[in-house]
Amino acid sequence: MAVDPRAKTNPRTIVQMVVVGVIASAIGIALGLAINWFPVQGSTQSKKIDDLWNLMLIFAVPVFVLVVVVVLFAVKEFRQRPGEEKLDGPNIHGSTKLEIIWTTVPSLIIFVLVGYSATVLSDIEAAPANAAQELKVDVYGQQFAWTFKYTGVDGKPVNTTRLYLPNHQSVKFNVHSKDVIHDFWIPAMRMKIDAVPGITTSYRITPIREGSYPVVCAELCGLGHAVMRQTAYVLPPAKFKAWLTKQSQPAGGGAAAGGGAATAAIDAKTLFTKGNGNSTACGSCHQLTAAGTPAGGIGPDLDTALAGQSAAQIKQSIVNPQAVITKGYPPNVMPPNFAQTLKPAEIDALVQYLLKNQKK
Ligand code: HEC
Ligand SMILES: [Cu+2]
């Protein structure tokens, strides 16, 4: 077969490729660094992770450009014109120089990136100098809400569906799951980890900015996965302390005084706002003014939705939520297992509690 006379690349083409490559890389890197990819930096970890991202980008863009430029130029220079069907390229075999280059350069790039990544990883996972000062929060994933357990000022556990964090203090999350695999993620803090049934995973963050940030489940965990969202509130340390102190006080005004022996011992308000340790808290999805749970939840506003309903209807909604789906709300999101996770007396207490707070 005849050898293509153009097999030797024109030196001018190489110069052109280098110029185009350098310009495209410069534009790509500039764009990549200018684009605001991430939410605000909420923790000391955020900045380190964003810097790592930027470094990766600075290396990745030229590699991408190199591949694309060579492919495009090859298509342009070596495309087959009519009458060239019988031509072939020169029969090249082996080039030690090239092989050395294409082994060393990528190896060097990988070493730099791995080295830097390892430093960042050990940095963002490092325990604070004063480990005793670190706040520990147990995080429980359960279809389809998160619950958070703190140690109260009296040493007793405090369970809540709202995540409060003190600013500028290291926090260690120990992450658990009560059912399937979830993933505990606060995008502004950058860190995330799977919540796996049967084991405890963990990460730490140090918030650096007061404010509220979405808490997201990042592992498809069932039909309600998309709505498994809550909020993390970063407070000044003194306000956080005050909040924790308030939570540590025994819940007041919950159970009705005296009367109904079976339900009197059960604090329906706590069941509603925090669950019984096994059940998902109703308040993480439902607004109820009497319980102090906020509006804008995933489920109907129980201040108004229950108007005119009987105890039997409300009970059915709790134990068998699929029986009647409230208009405008997604099916299969309200957990179907309350008949198992709540004791019958607890369900009755909740029904009575909702009836008591029902708008007529
Ligand atoms: C993961 C979110 C979630 C949790 C937790 C949750 N619910 Fe629901 N709930 C919903 C959604 C969504 C609906 C509407 C769709 C439906 O009817 O199933 C609903 C519907 C209801 C209704 C029917 C409202 C109406 O319009 O008739 C009642 C009553 C109710 N929930 C009570 C509770 C109680 C009590 C608890 C705690 C034991 C609870 N829910 C826990 C999401 C939740
Ligand atoms: Cu999920």
Side-chain angles (χ1 to χ4, degrees):
M1 224 179 250
V3 168
D4 187 334
R6 291 168 302 143
K8 270 214 146 348
T9 313
N10 185 343
R12 255 192 58 217
T13 311
I14 303 220
V15 172
Q16 276 175 9
M17 284 168 70
V18 171
V19 171
V20 170
V22 167
I23 295 175
S25 297
I27 295 176
I29 291 174
L31 262 180
L33 296 180
I35 292 175
N36 212 352
W37 300 99
F38 303 117
V40 291
Q41 296 178 334
S43 69
T44 50
Q45 283 76 6
S46 310
K47 181 153 188 343
K48 291 170 186 160
I49 289 172
D50 294 0
D51 289 347
L52 174 62
W53 162 271
N54 286 338
L55 183 79
M56 295 267 178
L57 192 124
I58 289 169
F59 278 94
V61 168
V63 173
F64 175 75
V65 167
L66 174 73
V67 172
V68 173
V69 166
V70 170
V71 168
L72 292 181
F73 268 86
V75 168
K76 176 175 163 281
E77 290 290 307
F78 304 119
R79 69 182 185 281
Q80 191 182 71
R81 295 173 180 86
E84 293 180 345
E85 292 83 357
K86 292 268 156 67
L87 295 182
D88 197 4
N91 191 0
I92 298 170
H93 182 82
S95 166
T96 313
K97 204 167 99 194
L98 260 183
E99 282 181 22
I100 289 175
I101 294 176
W102 77 44
T103 309
T104 357
V105 174
S107 304
L108 283 177
I109 295 180
I110 296 289
F111 274 120
V112 170
L113 293 182
V114 166
Y116 188 77
S117 305
T119 328
V120 171
L121 184 65
S122 85
D123 247 25
I124 59 180
E125 290 187 336
N130 188 349
Q133 286 278 306
E134 188 168 61
L135 173 70
K136 295 199 173 56
V137 181
D138 282 291
V139 177
Y140 294 88
Q142 187 175 22
Q143 288 170 324
F144 297 101
W146 299 103
T147 346
F148 307 99
K149 190 170 103 195
Y150 297 77
T151 306
V153 288
D154 52 3
K156 294 208 188 94
V158 166
N159 290 298
T160 164
T161 53
R162 295 205 177 198
L163 179 59
Y164 285 92
L165 300 170
N167 204 359
H168 299 302
Q169 187 184 338
S170 178
V171 184
K172 184 170 184 195
F173 295 111
N174 288 314
V175 181
H176 319 263
S177 168
K178 294 187 180 176
D179 42 35
V180 301
I181 301 178
H182 301 273
D183 191 296
F184 178 60
W185 187 28
I186 311 172
M189 307 297 173
R190 301 294 187 276
M191 305 291 285
K192 78 203 252 285
I193 201 156
D194 275 4
V196 182
I199 65 169
T200 301
T201 53
S202 69
Y203 65 73
R204 34 169 68 90
I205 57 162
T206 305
I208 52 170
R209 207 169 158 279
E210 283 165 30
S212 53
Y213 308 96
V215 177
V216 181
C217 176
E219 181 68 54
L220 185 57
C221 57
L223 286 160
H225 166 66
V227 295
M228 190 164 168
R229 287 166 169 259
Q230 276 149 258
T231 307
Y233 302 88
V234 176
L235 306 177
K239 271 203 179 152
F240 173 79
K241 192 82 196 288
W243 170 79
L244 193 61
T245 310
K246 198 166 148 232
Q247 297 299 308
S248 304
Q249 268 131 34
T263 51
I266 298 169
D267 180 359
K269 182 176 169 183
T270 305
L271 271 183
F272 191 91
T273 53
K274 300 176 180 170
N276 64 5
N278 201 19
S279 66
T280 317
C282 320
S284 52
C285 299
H286 290 291
Q287 169 177 10
L288 186 69
T289 307
T293 58
I298 299 151
D301 170 0
L302 294 184
D303 282 331
T304 51
L306 299 182
Q309 292 198 24
S310 67
Q313 282 171 308
I314 296 176
K315 184 167 177 180
Q316 172 178 274
S317 291
I318 299 173
V319 297
N320 185 11
Q322 303 312 5
V324 183
I325 302 297
T326 310
K327 256 213 183 73
Y329 287 90
N332 301 311
V333 166
M334 168 130 172
N337 62 349
F338 284 119
Q340 287 90 52
T341 57
L342 292 170
K343 296 193 195 74
E346 290 174 326
I347 296 174
D348 291 338
L350 274 171
V351 172
Q352 290 310 317
Y353 178 68
L354 290 175
L355 271 179
K356 198 178 80 189
N357 293 299
Q358 184 183 43
K359 293 237 161 56
K360 292 285 154 352

